[in-house]
Amino acid sequence: MSGQILEIKNVKRTYASEETSINVLDDINLSVQKGEFISIIGLSGCGKTTLLRLIAGLDKPQGGQLILNGQEIKSPSPSKGYVFQKEGLFNWLTVEQNIAFGLKARHAYRENKNKIASYIDLVGLTGFEKSYPHQISGGMAQRVAIARALINNPDLLLLDEPMGALDSFTRADIQDKLLEIRKADKVTMILVTHDIDEAIYLSDRIVIMSPRPGRISEVLQVDIPYPRHRGGTEFLAMRKSILQKFQLATAQPQPEYQI
């Protein structure tokens, strides 16, 4: 990691209607370093996805600033790749055509088309270039979505629970693939997740958000060396500590029963 890439300063976001006003985010402050992997966790409704959309430039705050590489974020751009919970592939396009779509949209296909094969290889889909979304699994489709976001060479990859709908084996596979991509491309990643184990397994730091209005209640450093083992002592201790913060674990271990 070398230097700050993203700074979030005093960000506030409120949604208002004729009947009511909902303060979703209040006084959000966070700095992210280049090459860092950040996970954002918190109970449903705490504003995790809203914050990610603000970083992506898909929404605008009522107060504060979001600054990427010294420039205020005001709109979406290729410097920010976004992977949604649903992969959102175009069913009438093949794997390679879906990955190439972003290049064509910004008129950069001709000079970058030779990169498509390397990104297909990077996400482990060599041999499926001509396959359509209905011919591949959900996990493979999410890999296509990740490659589609990465091929624009973003400074920041934003991941909005992209593994939330996948089975545990596929989820673990994509988690490992994200770590491989991070190591290969040195891309900065910010992940929104409900999965505490996922956050610990992937992250340099974990941002814990409190419920509405959403605020950052704590930022935890994950000092467990890679590769991390989900059954390791440090891993389980951190998991228990985070669960206790959400009042989802007791201080005393539960009794074990043998039947």
Side-chain angles (χ1 to χ4, degrees):
M1 287 177 279
S2 56
Q4 180 177 279
I5 185 172
L6 175 69
E7 186 176 10
I8 303 171
K9 300 194 296 185
N10 309 118
V11 162
K12 179 179 181 180
R13 184 65 173 99
T14 300
Y15 293 106
S17 66
E18 293 181 0
E19 294 81 19
T20 185
S21 177
I22 301 173
N23 191 7
V24 180
L25 295 173
D26 186 54
D27 196 29
I28 301 294
N29 291 275
L30 182 68
S31 293
V32 178
Q33 302 298 305
K34 289 181 181 179
E36 200 171 16
F37 198 119
I38 300 286
S39 286
I40 303 172
I41 64 173
L43 300 177
S44 295
C46 71
K48 301 184 298 294
T49 293
T50 298
L51 179 56
L52 206 68
R53 286 175 58 82
L54 290 172
I55 297 169
L58 296 169
D59 195 3
K60 295 182 179 179
Q62 269 91 16
Q65 285 183 309
L66 299 100
I67 299 169
L68 179 65
N69 287 327
Q71 300 293 320
E72 186 173 4
I73 297 172
K74 294 184 177 181
S75 62
S77 70
S79 64
K80 303 178 291 291
Y82 201 109
V83 181
F84 297 88
Q85 184 171 2
K86 298 291 186 180
E87 68 280 348
L89 302 184
F90 298 111
N91 291 327
W92 59 92
L93 299 180
T94 64
V95 165
E96 64 182 1
Q97 289 170 339
N98 265 286
I99 293 170
F101 183 83
L103 294 175
K104 291 181 178 180
R106 64 185 184 93
H107 308 291
Y109 175 74
R110 183 172 295 178
E111 60 267 35
N112 290 285
K113 63 181 180 180
N114 293 333
K115 295 180 180 179
I116 295 173
S118 64
Y119 278 94
I120 288 174
D121 181 63
L122 184 65
V123 296
L125 289 176
T126 300
F128 294 91
E129 295 89 343
K130 305 300 182 184
S131 300
Y132 288 89
H134 71 275
Q135 296 174 319
I136 59 178
S137 69
M140 292 167 74
Q142 279 294 26
R143 291 190 193 188
V144 176
I146 291 167
R148 183 174 60 184
L150 285 172
I151 200 167
N152 285 314
N153 195 29
D155 297 315
L156 200 57
L157 184 63
L158 305 172
L159 303 148
D160 190 4
E161 296 192 70
M163 297 158 282
L166 302 176
D167 64 81
S168 58
F169 296 104
T170 305
R171 176 190 287 260
D173 176 58
I174 292 185
Q175 288 169 358
D176 287 336
K177 186 58 64 178
L178 284 173
L179 291 176
E180 290 176 24
I181 290 168
R182 181 196 176 194
K183 184 177 181 180
D185 277 19
K186 306 293 189 294
V187 63
T188 308
M189 300 189 188
I190 301 179
L191 168 72
V192 164
T193 181
H194 281 97
D195 189 324
I196 292 172
D197 285 21
E198 182 170 86
I200 299 171
Y201 188 73
L202 293 171
S203 308
D204 297 303
R205 288 188 295 156
I206 299 173
V207 175
I208 300 177
M209 292 186 64
S210 60
R212 194 173 296 159
R215 296 188 176 97
I216 294 176
S217 62
E218 193 170 355
V219 180
L220 303 176
Q221 189 77 34
V222 185
D223 291 324
I224 305 170
Y226 291 103
R228 293 172 180 169
H229 302 285
R230 292 175 175 86
T233 302
E234 292 176 284
F235 193 105
L236 293 175
M238 188 164 202
R239 182 179 187 272
K240 180 177 180 180
S241 173
I242 295 173
L243 285 170
Q244 287 174 340
K245 295 177 191 298
F246 290 104
Q247 299 181 341
L248 295 174
T250 58
Q252 298 299 320
Q254 294 297 303
E256 296 182 3
Y257 299 94
Q258 294 183 345
I259 299 175

